[in-house]
Amino acid sequence: MDSFSSDFPSGSSSGKMDTGTIMEQVKVQIAVANAQELLQRMTDKCFKKCIVKPGSSLDNSEQKCIAMCMDRYMDAWNTVSRAYNSRLQRERARI
Amino acid sequence: MISEKGIDMADFSSSFDMPSASSSESADAAELQRLIAVEQQKAQFQAQVHNFTDACWDKCVDKPSSKLDSRTETCLVSCVERFIDTTLTITNRFTQMVQKGAH
């Protein structure tokens, strides 16, 4: 994350930091971290599924498998996200 | 999970201690803390989705195909629900065990 961090703007002469600017930066940093997490897990899963015996390069079938795997992983992520959200809403309704 | 990537959400809240400042600056800081708490909650949700997807992918997806069939979708949804049920079961039973004086 170091390469994506940016310092918050230092206080202006009035000593005030702009809430909007700070929140924008917070959201961006969180989004970047989320994308990195996604890519790391996706790489792990798709490597396991697609590269059975590592050769001297990625052959065509491996490349196609990786592409499909990426799409399916993101589909799965979305399905899980919806399911989790539904469950949370159901639990909140019970309280 | 997010914290392992270098964003420790605690850093955000602790770096906005209330200064002994004018009331409008205190209001700004309070609003900022509130907004950050909202983002923190969203980030925790995302982190959990990563965890569930990781576990449920192994259980539900056999061969990556050209689309997620309905059997796989159902499996993923059930997996999330059962994972949460498992968490609740473990929490409850562990609480009982502790109360009974077990370890």
Coordinates of all heavy atoms in Angstrom, one line a residue, chain B residues 9-90:
Chain B
M9 N -7.4 0.3 9.9 CA -8.5 1.3 10.1 C -8.3 2.0 11.4 O -8.8 3.1 11.6 CB -9.8 0.5 10.0 CG -10.2 0.0 8.6 SD -10.1 1.2 7.3 CE -11.1 2.5 7.9
A10 N -7.7 1.4 12.4 CA -7.5 2.1 13.7 C -6.7 3.4 13.5 O -6.9 4.3 14.2 CB -6.8 1.2 14.7
D11 N -5.8 3.4 12.5 CA -5.0 4.6 12.2 C -5.9 5.8 11.9 O -5.6 6.9 12.3 CB -4.1 4.4 11.1 CG -2.9 3.5 11.5 OD1 -2.8 3.2 12.6 OD2 -2.2 3.1 10.6
F12 N -7.0 5.5 11.2 CA -7.9 6.6 10.8 C -8.5 7.2 12.0 O -8.6 8.5 12.2 CB -8.9 6.2 9.8 CG -8.4 5.9 8.5 CD1 -8.3 4.6 7.9 CD2 -7.8 6.9 7.7 CE1 -7.8 4.4 6.7 CE2 -7.3 6.7 6.5 CZ -7.3 5.4 6.0
S13 N -9.1 6.4 12.9 CA -9.8 7.0 14.0 C -8.9 7.6 15.0 O -9.2 8.7 15.5 CB -10.7 6.0 14.7 OG -9.9 4.8 14.9
S14 N -7.7 7.0 15.3 CA -6.9 7.6 16.3 C -6.2 8.9 15.8 O -5.7 9.7 16.7 CB -5.8 6.6 16.7 OG -5.0 6.3 15.6
S15 N -6.0 9.1 14.5 CA -5.3 10.3 14.1 C -6.2 11.5 14.1 O -5.8 12.6 13.7 CB -4.7 10.1 12.7 OG -5.7 9.8 11.8
F16 N -7.5 11.3 14.5 CA -8.4 12.5 14.5 C -8.8 12.8 15.9 O -10.0 12.8 16.2 CB -9.5 12.3 13.6 CG -9.1 12.3 12.1 CD1 -9.1 11.1 11.4 CD2 -8.6 13.4 11.6 CE1 -8.7 11.1 10.1 CE2 -8.2 13.4 10.2 CZ -8.2 12.3 9.5
D17 N -7.9 12.8 16.8 CA -8.3 13.2 18.2 C -8.8 14.6 18.2 O -8.4 15.5 17.4 CB -7.0 13.2 19.1 CG -6.5 11.8 19.3 OD1 -7.3 10.9 19.1 OD2 -5.3 11.6 19.6
M18 N -9.8 14.8 19.1 CA -10.4 16.1 19.1 C -9.4 17.1 19.7 O -9.0 17.0 20.8 CB -11.6 16.0 20.1 CG -12.6 14.9 19.7 SD -13.6 15.3 18.3 CE -14.9 16.0 19.0
P19 N -9.1 18.1 18.9 CA -8.3 19.2 19.4 C -9.1 20.1 20.3 O -10.3 20.2 20.2 CB -7.8 19.9 18.1 CG -8.9 19.7 17.2 CD -9.6 18.4 17.5
S20 N -8.4 20.8 21.2 CA -9.1 21.8 21.9 C -9.2 23.0 21.1 O -8.3 23.9 21.1 CB -8.3 22.1 23.2 OG -7.0 22.4 22.9
A21 N -10.2 23.0 20.2 CA -10.3 24.0 19.2 C -11.6 24.7 19.3 O -12.4 24.5 20.2 CB -10.0 23.4 17.8
S22 N -11.9 25.5 18.3 CA -13.2 26.2 18.2 C -14.3 25.1 18.0 O -14.0 24.0 17.6 CB -13.2 27.2 17.1 OG -13.3 26.5 15.9
S23 N -15.5 25.5 18.3 CA -16.5 24.5 18.3 C -16.8 24.0 16.8 O -17.2 22.9 16.6 CB -17.8 25.0 18.9 OG -18.3 26.2 18.1
S24 N -16.5 24.9 15.8 CA -16.8 24.5 14.4 C -15.7 23.5 14.0 O -16.0 22.5 13.3 CB -16.8 25.7 13.5 OG -15.5 26.1 13.3
E25 N -14.5 23.6 14.5 CA -13.5 22.6 14.2 C -13.8 21.3 14.9 O -13.5 20.2 14.3 CB -12.1 23.1 14.6 CG -11.5 24.2 13.7 CD -10.2 24.7 14.0 OE1 -9.7 24.4 15.1 OE2 -9.6 25.4 13.3
S26 N -14.3 21.4 16.1 CA -14.7 20.1 16.8 C -15.8 19.4 16.1 O -15.8 18.2 15.9 CB -15.1 20.4 18.2 OG -14.1 21.0 18.9
A27 N -16.7 20.2 15.5 CA -17.8 19.6 14.8 C -17.3 19.0 13.5 O -17.8 17.9 13.2 CB -18.9 20.7 14.5
D28 N -16.3 19.6 12.8 CA -15.7 19.0 11.7 C -15.1 17.7 12.0 O -15.2 16.7 11.3 CB -14.7 19.9 11.0 CG -15.3 21.1 10.3 OD1 -16.5 21.0 10.0 OD2 -14.6 22.0 9.9
A29 N -14.3 17.7 13.1 CA -13.6 16.4 13.5 C -14.6 15.3 13.8 O -14.4 14.2 13.4 CB -12.7 16.7 14.6
A30 N -15.7 15.7 14.5 CA -16.7 14.7 14.9 C -17.3 14.1 13.6 O -17.6 12.9 13.5 CB -17.7 15.3 15.8
E31 N -17.6 15.0 12.7 CA -18.3 14.6 11.4 C -17.3 13.6 10.7 O -17.7 12.6 10.1 CB -18.6 15.8 10.6 CG -19.2 15.5 9.2 CD -20.6 14.8 9.3 OE1 -21.1 14.6 10.4 OE2 -21.1 14.4 8.2
L32 N -16.0 14.0 10.7 CA -15.0 13.2 10.0 C -15.0 11.8 10.6 O -14.9 10.8 9.9 CB -13.7 13.9 10.1 CG -12.6 13.5 9.1 CD1 -13.1 13.4 7.6 CD2 -11.5 14.5 9.2
Q33 N -15.0 11.8 11.9 CA -14.9 10.5 12.6 C -16.1 9.6 12.3 O -16.0 8.4 12.1 CB -14.9 10.7 14.2 CG -13.5 10.9 14.7 CD -13.4 11.0 16.2 OE1 -14.2 11.6 16.8 NE2 -12.4 10.3 16.8
R34 N -17.3 10.3 12.2 CA -18.5 9.6 11.8 C -18.4 9.0 10.4 O -18.7 7.8 10.2 CB -19.7 10.5 12.0 CG -21.1 9.8 11.9 CD -22.2 10.8 11.8 NE -22.2 11.6 10.6 CZ -22.7 11.1 9.4 NH1 -23.1 9.9 9.3 NH2 -22.6 11.9 8.4
L35 N -18.0 9.9 9.5 CA -17.9 9.4 8.1 C -16.9 8.3 7.9 O -17.1 7.3 7.2 CB -17.5 10.6 7.2 CG -18.5 11.7 7.0 CD1 -17.9 12.9 6.2 CD2 -19.7 11.2 6.2
I36 N -15.8 8.4 8.7 CA -14.8 7.3 8.6 C -15.3 6.0 9.2 O -15.0 4.9 8.7 CB -13.5 7.8 9.3 CG1 -12.7 8.7 8.3 CG2 -12.6 6.6 9.6 CD1 -11.5 9.4 8.9
A37 N -16.1 6.1 10.3 CA -16.7 4.9 10.9 C -17.6 4.2 9.8 O -17.6 3.0 9.8 CB -17.4 5.3 12.1
V38 N -18.3 5.0 9.1 CA -19.1 4.4 8.0 C -18.3 3.7 7.0 O -18.6 2.5 6.6 CB -20.0 5.5 7.3 CG1 -20.6 5.0 6.0 CG2 -21.0 6.1 8.2
E39 N -17.2 4.3 6.5 CA -16.3 3.6 5.6 C -15.7 2.4 6.2 O -15.5 1.4 5.5 CB -15.2 4.6 5.1 CG -15.8 5.8 4.2 CD -16.6 5.3 3.1 OE1 -16.2 4.4 2.3 OE2 -17.7 5.9 2.9
Q40 N -15.4 2.5 7.4 CA -14.8 1.3 8.1 C -15.7 0.1 8.1 O -15.3 -1.0 7.9 CB -14.4 1.7 9.6 CG -13.6 0.8 10.3 CD -13.0 1.3 11.6 OE1 -13.2 2.5 11.9 NE2 -12.4 0.5 12.4
Q41 N -17.0 0.4 8.4 CA -18.0 -0.7 8.4 C -18.1 -1.3 7.0 O -18.2 -2.5 6.8 CB -19.3 -0.1 8.8 CG -20.0 -0.9 9.8 CD -21.4 -0.4 10.1 OE1 -21.9 0.5 9.5 NE2 -22.0 -1.1 11.1
K42 N -18.1 -0.4 5.9 CA -18.1 -1.0 4.6 C -16.9 -1.8 4.3 O -17.0 -2.9 3.7 CB -18.2 0.2 3.6 CG -19.5 1.0 3.5 CD -19.4 1.9 2.3 CE -20.3 3.2 2.5 NZ -19.9 4.2 1.5
A43 N -15.8 -1.4 4.8 CA -14.5 -2.1 4.5 C -14.6 -3.5 5.2 O -14.1 -4.5 4.7 CB -13.3 -1.3 5.0
Q44 N -15.1 -3.5 6.4 CA -15.3 -4.8 7.2 C -16.2 -5.7 6.4 O -15.9 -6.9 6.4 CB -15.8 -4.5 8.6 CG -14.7 -4.1 9.5 CD -15.3 -3.8 10.9 OE1 -16.4 -3.4 11.1 NE2 -14.4 -3.9 11.9
F45 N -17.3 -5.2 5.8 CA -18.1 -6.0 5.0 C -17.4 -6.6 3.9 O -17.5 -7.8 3.6 CB -19.3 -5.2 4.5 CG -20.3 -5.9 3.6 CD1 -21.3 -6.6 4.1 CD2 -20.1 -5.9 2.2 CE1 -22.2 -7.3 3.3 CE2 -20.9 -6.6 1.4 CZ -22.0 -7.3 1.9
Q46 N -16.6 -5.8 3.1 CA -15.8 -6.3 2.0 C -14.9 -7.4 2.4 O -14.7 -8.4 1.8 CB -15.0 -5.1 1.4 CG -15.8 -3.9 1.0 CD -16.4 -3.9 -0.4 OE1 -17.0 -4.9 -0.8 NE2 -16.1 -2.9 -1.2
A47 N -14.2 -7.1 3.6 CA -13.2 -8.1 4.0 C -13.9 -9.5 4.3 O -13.4 -10.5 4.0 CB -12.6 -7.6 5.3
Q48 N -15.1 -9.4 4.9 CA -15.8 -10.7 5.1 C -16.2 -11.4 3.8 O -16.2 -12.6 3.7 CB -17.1 -10.4 5.9 CG -16.8 -10.3 7.4 CD -16.4 -11.7 8.0 OE1 -15.4 -12.3 7.6 NE2 -17.2 -12.2 8.9
V49 N -16.6 -10.6 2.8 CA -17.0 -11.2 1.5 C -15.7 -11.9 0.9 O -15.9 -13.0 0.4 CB -17.5 -10.1 0.5 CG1 -17.7 -10.7 -0.8 CG2 -18.8 -9.5 1.1
H50 N -14.6 -11.3 1.1 CA -13.3 -11.9 0.6 C -13.2 -13.3 1.3 O -12.9 -14.3 0.7 CB -12.1 -11.1 0.9 CG -12.0 -9.9 -0.1 ND1 -12.0 -10.1 -1.5 CD2 -11.9 -8.6 0.1 CE1 -11.8 -8.9 -2.1 NE2 -11.8 -8.0 -1.1
N51 N -13.3 -13.3 2.6 CA -13.2 -14.5 3.4 C -14.2 -15.6 3.0 O -13.8 -16.8 2.8 CB -13.3 -14.3 4.9 CG -12.2 -13.5 5.5 OD1 -11.1 -13.6 5.0 ND2 -12.4 -12.8 6.6
F52 N -15.4 -15.2 2.9 CA -16.5 -16.2 2.5 C -16.2 -16.7 1.1 O -16.3 -17.9 0.8 CB -17.9 -15.5 2.5 CG -18.4 -15.2 3.9 CD1 -19.2 -14.1 4.0 CD2 -18.0 -15.9 5.0 CE1 -19.7 -13.7 5.3 CE2 -18.5 -15.5 6.3 CZ -19.3 -14.4 6.4
T53 N -15.9 -15.8 0.1 CA -15.7 -16.2 -1.2 C -14.5 -17.2 -1.3 O -14.6 -18.2 -2.0 CB -15.4 -15.0 -2.1 OG1 -16.4 -14.0 -2.0 CG2 -15.3 -15.4 -3.6
D54 N -13.5 -16.9 -0.5 CA -12.3 -17.8 -0.5 C -12.7 -19.2 -0.1 O -12.4 -20.2 -0.7 CB -11.3 -17.2 0.5 CG -9.9 -17.8 0.4 OD1 -9.8 -19.1 0.4 OD2 -8.9 -17.1 0.2
A55 N -13.4 -19.3 1.1 CA -13.8 -20.6 1.6 C -14.8 -21.3 0.7 O -14.7 -22.5 0.4 CB -14.4 -20.4 3.0
C56 N -15.8 -20.5 0.2 CA -16.9 -21.2 -0.5 C -16.5 -21.5 -2.0 O -17.1 -22.4 -2.6 CB -18.1 -20.3 -0.5 SG -18.8 -20.0 1.2
W57 N -15.6 -20.8 -2.5 CA -15.1 -21.2 -3.9 C -14.6 -22.6 -3.9 O -14.9 -23.4 -4.8 CB -14.0 -20.2 -4.3 CG -13.3 -20.5 -5.6 CD1 -12.2 -21.4 -5.7 CD2 -13.6 -20.1 -6.9 NE1 -11.8 -21.4 -7.0 CE2 -12.6 -20.6 -7.8 CE3 -14.6 -19.2 -7.4 CZ2 -12.7 -20.4 -9.1 CZ3 -14.6 -19.0 -8.8 CH2 -13.7 -19.6 -9.6
D58 N -13.8 -23.0 -2.9 CA -13.3 -24.3 -2.8 C -14.4 -25.4 -2.7 O -14.2 -26.4 -3.2 CB -12.3 -24.4 -1.6 CG -11.0 -23.6 -1.8 OD1 -10.7 -23.3 -2.9 OD2 -10.4 -23.3 -0.8
K59 N -15.4 -25.0 -2.0 CA -16.5 -26.0 -1.7 C -17.5 -26.1 -2.9 O -18.1 -27.1 -3.0 CB -17.3 -25.6 -0.5 CG -16.5 -25.8 0.8 CD -17.4 -26.1 2.0 CE -16.6 -26.3 3.3 NZ -15.7 -27.5 3.2
C60 N -17.6 -25.0 -3.7 CA -18.7 -25.0 -4.6 C -18.3 -25.0 -6.1 O -19.0 -25.3 -7.0 CB -19.5 -23.7 -4.4 SG -20.4 -23.7 -2.8
V61 N -17.1 -24.5 -6.4 CA -16.7 -24.4 -7.8 C -15.7 -25.5 -8.1 O -14.6 -25.5 -7.5 CB -16.0 -23.0 -8.0 CG1 -15.6 -22.9 -9.5 CG2 -17.0 -21.9 -7.7
D62 N -16.1 -26.3 -9.0 CA -15.2 -27.4 -9.4 C -14.3 -27.0 -10.6 O -13.1 -26.9 -10.4 CB -16.1 -28.6 -9.7 CG -15.2 -29.8 -10.1 OD1 -14.1 -30.0 -9.5 OD2 -15.6 -30.6 -11.0
K63 N -14.9 -26.8 -11.7 CA -14.2 -26.4 -12.9 C -14.7 -25.1 -13.4 O -15.9 -24.9 -13.6 CB -14.4 -27.4 -14.0 CG -13.4 -28.6 -14.0 CD -13.5 -29.5 -15.2 CE -12.3 -29.6 -16.0 NZ -11.0 -29.6 -15.3
P64 N -13.8 -24.1 -13.5 CA -14.3 -22.8 -14.0 C -14.9 -23.0 -15.4 O -14.2 -23.5 -16.3 CB -13.0 -21.9 -14.1 CG -12.1 -22.6 -13.2 CD -12.4 -24.1 -13.2
S65 N -16.1 -22.5 -15.6 CA -16.8 -22.7 -16.9 C -17.2 -21.3 -17.4 O -16.8 -20.3 -16.9 CB -18.0 -23.6 -16.8 OG -18.9 -23.1 -15.8
S66 N -18.0 -21.3 -18.5 CA -18.3 -20.0 -19.2 C -19.3 -19.2 -18.4 O -19.5 -18.0 -18.7 CB -18.7 -20.3 -20.6 OG -19.7 -21.3 -20.6
K67 N -20.0 -19.8 -17.4 CA -20.8 -19.0 -16.5 C -21.1 -19.8 -15.3 O -20.9 -21.1 -15.2 CB -22.0 -18.5 -17.2 CG -23.2 -19.5 -17.2 CD -24.4 -18.8 -18.0 CE -25.7 -19.0 -17.4 NZ -25.9 -18.2 -16.2
L68 N -21.5 -19.2 -14.2 CA -21.8 -19.8 -13.0 C -23.2 -20.5 -13.1 O -24.2 -19.8 -13.2 CB -21.9 -18.8 -11.8 CG -20.6 -18.4 -11.1 CD1 -20.9 -17.6 -9.9 CD2 -19.7 -19.6 -10.7
D69 N -23.3 -21.8 -13.1 CA -24.6 -22.4 -13.2 C -25.4 -22.3 -11.9 O -24.8 -21.9 -10.9 CB -24.5 -23.9 -13.7 CG -23.8 -24.8 -12.7 OD1 -23.9 -24.6 -11.5 OD2 -23.1 -25.7 -13.2
S70 N -26.6 -22.6 -12.0 CA -27.5 -22.3 -10.8 C -27.2 -23.2 -9.6 O -27.3 -22.8 -8.5 CB -29.0 -22.4 -11.2 OG -29.2 -23.8 -11.6
R71 N -26.6 -24.4 -9.9 CA -26.3 -25.3 -8.8 C -25.1 -24.6 -8.0 O -25.1 -24.7 -6.8 CB -25.8 -26.6 -9.4 CG -25.8 -27.8 -8.4 CD -25.6 -29.1 -9.1 NE -24.5 -29.1 -10.0 CZ -23.3 -29.5 -9.8 NH1 -23.0 -30.0 -8.6 NH2 -22.4 -29.5 -10.7
T72 N -24.2 -24.1 -8.7 CA -23.0 -23.4 -8.1 C -23.5 -22.2 -7.3 O -23.0 -21.9 -6.2 CB -22.0 -23.0 -9.1 OG1 -21.7 -24.1 -10.0 CG2 -20.7 -22.5 -8.4
E73 N -24.4 -21.4 -7.9 CA -24.9 -20.2 -7.3 C -25.6 -20.6 -5.9 O -25.4 -20.0 -4.9 CB -26.0 -19.5 -8.2 CG -25.4 -18.8 -9.4 CD -25.4 -17.3 -9.2 OE1 -25.7 -16.8 -8.1 OE2 -25.0 -16.6 -10.2
T74 N -26.4 -21.6 -6.0 CA -27.1 -22.1 -4.8 C -26.1 -22.5 -3.8 O -26.3 -22.2 -2.6 CB -28.1 -23.2 -5.2 OG1 -28.9 -22.9 -6.2 CG2 -28.9 -23.6 -4.0
C75 N -25.1 -23.2 -4.2 CA -24.1 -23.7 -3.3 C -23.4 -22.5 -2.6 O -23.2 -22.5 -1.4 CB -23.1 -24.6 -4.0 SG -21.7 -25.1 -3.0
L76 N -23.1 -21.5 -3.3 CA -22.4 -20.3 -2.8 C -23.3 -19.6 -1.7 O -22.8 -19.3 -0.6 CB -22.0 -19.3 -3.9 CG -20.9 -19.8 -4.8 CD1 -20.8 -18.9 -6.0 CD2 -19.5 -19.7 -4.0
V77 N -24.6 -19.5 -2.1 CA -25.5 -18.8 -1.1 C -25.6 -19.6 0.2 O -25.5 -19.1 1.3 CB -26.9 -18.6 -1.8 CG1 -27.9 -18.1 -0.8 CG2 -26.7 -17.6 -2.9
S78 N -25.8 -20.9 0.0 CA -25.9 -21.8 1.2 C -24.7 -21.8 2.0 O -24.7 -21.8 3.2 CB -26.2 -23.3 0.7 OG -27.4 -23.4 0.0
C79 N -23.6 -21.8 1.3 CA -22.3 -21.8 2.0 C -22.1 -20.6 2.9 O -21.7 -20.7 4.0 CB -21.1 -21.8 0.9 SG -19.5 -21.7 1.6
V80 N -22.5 -19.4 2.4 CA -22.4 -18.2 3.2 C -23.3 -18.3 4.4 O -22.9 -18.0 5.6 CB -22.8 -16.9 2.4 CG1 -22.9 -15.7 3.3 CG2 -21.8 -16.7 1.3
E81 N -24.5 -18.7 4.2 CA -25.5 -18.9 5.3 C -25.0 -19.9 6.3 O -25.0 -19.6 7.5 CB -26.9 -19.4 4.7 CG -27.5 -18.4 3.8 CD -28.3 -17.3 4.4 OE1 -28.5 -17.4 5.7 OE2 -28.8 -16.4 3.7
R82 N -24.5 -21.0 5.9 CA -24.1 -22.1 6.8 C -22.8 -21.6 7.6 O -22.6 -22.0 8.7 CB -23.8 -23.4 6.1 CG -25.1 -24.0 5.4 CD -26.2 -24.3 6.4 NE -27.0 -23.2 6.8 CZ -27.9 -22.5 6.1 NH1 -28.1 -22.9 4.8 NH2 -28.5 -21.5 6.5
F83 N -21.9 -20.9 6.9 CA -20.7 -20.3 7.5 C -21.1 -19.4 8.7 O -20.6 -19.5 9.8 CB -19.9 -19.6 6.5 CG -18.5 -19.3 7.0 CD1 -17.4 -19.9 6.3 CD2 -18.2 -18.5 8.0 CE1 -16.1 -19.6 6.7 CE2 -16.9 -18.2 8.5 CZ -15.8 -18.8 7.8
I84 N -22.1 -18.6 8.4 CA -22.6 -17.7 9.5 C -23.2 -18.5 10.6 O -23.0 -18.2 11.8 CB -23.5 -16.6 8.9 CG1 -22.8 -15.7 8.0 CG2 -24.2 -15.8 10.0 CD1 -23.6 -14.7 7.2
D85 N -24.0 -19.5 10.2 CA -24.7 -20.3 11.3 C -23.6 -21.0 12.1 O -23.7 -21.1 13.3 CB -25.5 -21.4 10.6 CG -26.8 -20.8 9.9 OD1 -27.2 -19.7 10.3 OD2 -27.4 -21.5 9.1
T86 N -22.5 -21.5 11.4 CA -21.5 -22.1 12.2 C -20.8 -21.2 13.1 O -20.5 -21.5 14.3 CB -20.4 -22.7 11.2 OG1 -21.0 -23.5 10.2 CG2 -19.3 -23.4 11.9
T87 N -20.6 -20.0 12.7 CA -20.0 -19.0 13.6 C -20.8 -18.7 14.8 O -20.3 -18.7 15.9 CB -19.8 -17.6 12.8 OG1 -19.1 -17.9 11.6 CG2 -19.0 -16.6 13.7
L88 N -22.1 -18.6 14.6 CA -23.0 -18.4 15.7 C -23.1 -19.6 16.6 O -23.1 -19.4 17.9 CB -24.5 -18.1 15.2 CG -24.6 -16.7 14.4 CD1 -26.0 -16.7 13.8 CD2 -24.4 -15.6 15.3
T89 N -23.1 -20.8 16.1 CA -23.1 -22.0 16.9 C -21.9 -22.1 17.7 O -22.0 -22.4 18.9 CB -23.2 -23.2 16.0 OG1 -24.4 -23.1 15.1 CG2 -23.2 -24.5 16.8
I90 N -20.8 -21.8 17.1 CA -19.5 -21.9 17.9 C -19.5 -20.8 19.0 O -19.1 -21.1 20.1 CB -18.3 -21.8 16.9 CG1 -18.2 -23.0 16.1 CG2 -17.0 -21.5 17.7 CD1 -17.1 -23.0 15.1

